[in-house]
Amino acid sequence: MEILVTTSTPRFPFPPQIKRHRKFSRPQLLNCSRNTGESSGLSRAHISKESGSLDVDDNGKEERKRNDIWQLFEEAQQNIMYLNKQRLLAMEELGRVKNERNSLLDRIHQLEMQNQATARKDKLTISSELLLRIDALVLNGMIGITEASDLRRLVIDSRLSLADDIHDIILKNDAEFLAELRHLSKTTKGNGFHIIHICTEMSPVVSVGSLAPYITGLSCALQRKGNLVEVILPKYACLNLDEVHGLREVEAEFYSYFNGQLHGNKIWTGVVYGIGVTFIEPVYYSSFFSHDKVYGYLNDFERFTYFSRASLDYLVKLGKRPDVLHIHNWQTSVVGPLFWDVFVSQGFESTRIVLTCQGFDSQSLEQPEKLALCGLDPSTLLRPDRLQDNNKSHLVNVLKGGVVYSNKVIVMSSVYTKGYIISALGQGLEPTLAIHKEKLVIAPSGFDKTAWDPSHDNFLPQHYSADDMEGKLMCKFALQRYLGLEEGASNILVGCIYTGISEDLDTLKKLCWIASSKGVQFVFMRYGQIPGVSTSFEICQAEVKDKNVRFIDEYDEELSHLIISGSDIMLCPSLDDHLLQVPPKAIKYGTAPIPVNSPDSRFRDFGNDSSERSKFSLYINSAFGNMSLGQAVDEIKTNPLEWNRRIKDGMVKDFSWESECTEVHISAYQVVKKL
């Protein structure tokens, strides 16, 4: 029986661009033999051109059949490989297009946010410049303090609506500017506070410790919520003026009291991130702030007491009447007793004093007679209920004076309760804090969410959010590639930006050796050059030689964004980090902040009263506070679904300056204004 078979449709469909082999392009006849002879299978038949009879090659038919089948199989394999390659290329192209689309959408969103922020920042900057111009008019004698006060109230109550009107006249000379300003009568009553910070640091102008980012972050957040904020700083020789907009020296000196005489000062003004800033430069005591450093000199008490008194004399000269004078740490704590004993009757009856303490480690103990330098009476202040030190009764304690003479005391702590601070962290001020406990409030640190947000962070290779975490994996790959570590999503990566004490390095070394033996990758970056700590860090780096561990000797802001975003865990020397705010930033970036010393007995003793805890403290205690590095690594490996849920839950929370920190401060301002 003859069967006609066509090979025009192969077993594996070919893509259109591949040509089929010509051997299978025409029909062939196969012979099926039912005899008991030599052949019982299919045999290839050839058609004779002349007679059409079949010429069967019995000896070669099996070999030809095998060759044909093998050739067909080889072509099928090639076609499968080609199709797989095309599929992979198509998937890559689809992924690339998707990433480009997401990047484009993120960029559009980022530009929209920047445009909105720029528009608002411009209005705040213009308002701040306007207030500084009014100050200059007073110093130059063009207007009196009463008119200046009215003009400031005009700006304070209607600064956003005034910004458009004032933009064209702010560049005019003083006479034209004043004439135009007097014609502006339209106001919109505002409900915000007028706050003036008298302080010694402000990021990025002068940054030493945690005070600098706090002043800038809080001030910007307060202004975005409708309050007016100004800052007074010493005119250090080491200022970074790159971010000071419109810096100018006022062409008039003003005089302040010190050591029995009046001394001249130069005044400089400018705007930093929309905040009006005044710099006071002593003329006679020019050496006070001409050093390379901000702190650490034998005459620090004299330097900052001069600045504190000069700040108050400056406000009297200008006729400024803020709602709140906000002072900071011991360096400007003398403003408290100066305000109530000397200045309150000079038009400050409605002004109140708020003190912020970044901690109680530094308090400034001095001989009582030194208080007379700024005009205070030592005989009335060397008392237990005033400035007399609790342990050394022959000395005055400047920070204690700030606590006693302030209407409200804000202690910066992200994890400790008020009760724990009073009982364990007062550094000798425990009795004073206990007496004044009703005026104490606790505020957590924050971070600048305009710069720290993975959904629009310009330092990241790809943006991401809690709803789309693909970008975080790309950040991890980029960090591993940058550090020369083995790339892989399953490789757990631990980051650490080290700002702690040298004793913690021994714990870090042990954690490295234990965890790296399990394949965990580490990256350590040192922040700052601290004597003792820097040496210990270098020793640690020399001792820890491991393919999974990398050390970075110098802090880099851009790289810190990649470390926090690309790591699975951030190992934190402290969860109460006011300097870099690594724990709240890590939470925002989907990275778990784990304390170095954990389970941390100190953390368990922070206080049991949940009503005294900050929202940040309550969250981090429940999510990561009592978890060790080993426990975190195990949970990532054994319970990834629960881990990812916990990570995403933290990412949607807001621990920036504009959240709980600002709420605590506004509440404190509201309370003191009612006193």
Side-chain angles (χ1 to χ4, degrees), residues 67 126 132 138 145 255 274 284 286 354 401 438 444 452 575 613 669:
N67 289 341
I126 292 170
L132 294 174
V138 177
I145 60 175
Y255 292 84
Y284 182 78
S286 58
V354 173
E438 295 304 319
W452 288 91
L575 294 177
R613 288 184 178 274
Y669 298 152

Side-chain angles (χ1 to χ4, degrees), residues 444-464:
S445 294
F447 61 90
D448 181 5
K449 66 180 181 181
T450 64
W452 288 91
D453 189 327
S455 66
H456 58 256
D457 190 332
N458 289 331
F459 292 138
L460 303 186
Q462 185 172 327
H463 298 152
Y464 62 94

Side-chain angles (χ1 to χ4, degrees), residues 311-338:
S311 298
L312 290 171
D313 284 328
Y314 177 70
L315 296 178
V316 171
K317 172 70 175 178
L318 297 182
K320 287 196 173 184
R321 304 293 183 261
D323 296 304
V324 176
L325 276 179
H326 201 143
I327 59 180
H328 302 270
N329 300 332
W330 78 259
Q331 283 83 3
T332 56
S333 282
V334 76
V335 168
L338 271 173

Side-chain angles (χ1 to χ4, degrees), residues 64-223:
R64 287 195 297 272
K65 182 172 69 173
R66 286 194 298 270
N67 289 341
D68 291 344
I69 295 174
W70 181 252
Q71 188 169 2
L72 182 63
F73 178 72
E74 284 183 335
E75 290 200 13
Q77 280 189 318
Q78 292 175 2
N79 291 326
I80 293 173
M81 292 174 63
Y82 175 83
L83 290 172
N84 282 336
K85 182 179 179 180
Q86 293 299 112
R87 182 179 62 84
L88 292 175
L89 290 174
M91 291 179 63
E92 291 178 1
E93 180 66 15
L94 182 62
R96 185 186 65 80
V97 172
K98 179 182 177 183
N99 290 337
E100 288 182 354
R101 174 182 173 275
N102 291 338
S103 298
L104 181 60
L105 292 175
D106 288 341
R107 183 58 179 165
I108 292 173
H109 175 70
Q110 181 181 348
L111 290 173
E112 290 175 348
M113 295 294 290
Q114 287 177 349
N115 288 336
Q116 295 175 7
T118 300
R120 185 167 181 84
K121 177 182 176 182
D122 287 343
K123 290 184 177 182
L124 294 174
T125 299
I126 292 170
S127 299
S128 296
E129 289 179 344
L130 176 57
L131 290 168
L132 294 174
R133 285 288 297 276
I134 295 173
D135 295 349
L137 294 177
V138 177
L139 291 177
N140 291 329
M142 295 186 66
I143 58 175
I145 60 175
T146 301
E147 183 178 8
S149 180
D150 293 339
L151 293 177
R152 290 192 194 99
R153 181 50 56 187
L154 173 71
V155 177
I156 293 169
D157 289 344
S158 55
R159 55 191 175 276
L160 295 183
S161 61
L162 270 179
D164 295 331
D165 298 327
I166 209 68
H167 185 270
D168 293 331
I169 70 170
I170 200 168
L171 299 178
K172 296 180 181 292
N173 62 44
D174 285 348
E176 294 173 335
F177 171 78
L178 180 58
E180 293 279 359
L181 187 59
R182 283 169 171 167
H183 283 88
L184 291 173
S185 58
K186 180 181 178 181
T187 62
T188 302
K189 182 64 179 175
N191 297 318
F193 294 103
H194 182 195
I195 304 125
I196 296 180
H197 292 281
I198 301 177
C199 54
T200 55
E201 297 180 41
M202 180 186 187
S203 177
V205 181
V206 52
S207 300
V208 178
S210 57
L211 177 61
Y214 162 77
I215 291 293
T216 305
L218 175 65
S219 298
C220 291
L222 286 170
Q223 284 216 151

Side-chain angles (χ1 to χ4, degrees), residues 490-501:
S490 61
N491 296 325
I492 297 176
L493 181 55
V494 178
C496 179
I497 301 177
Y498 190 75
T499 60
I501 57 177

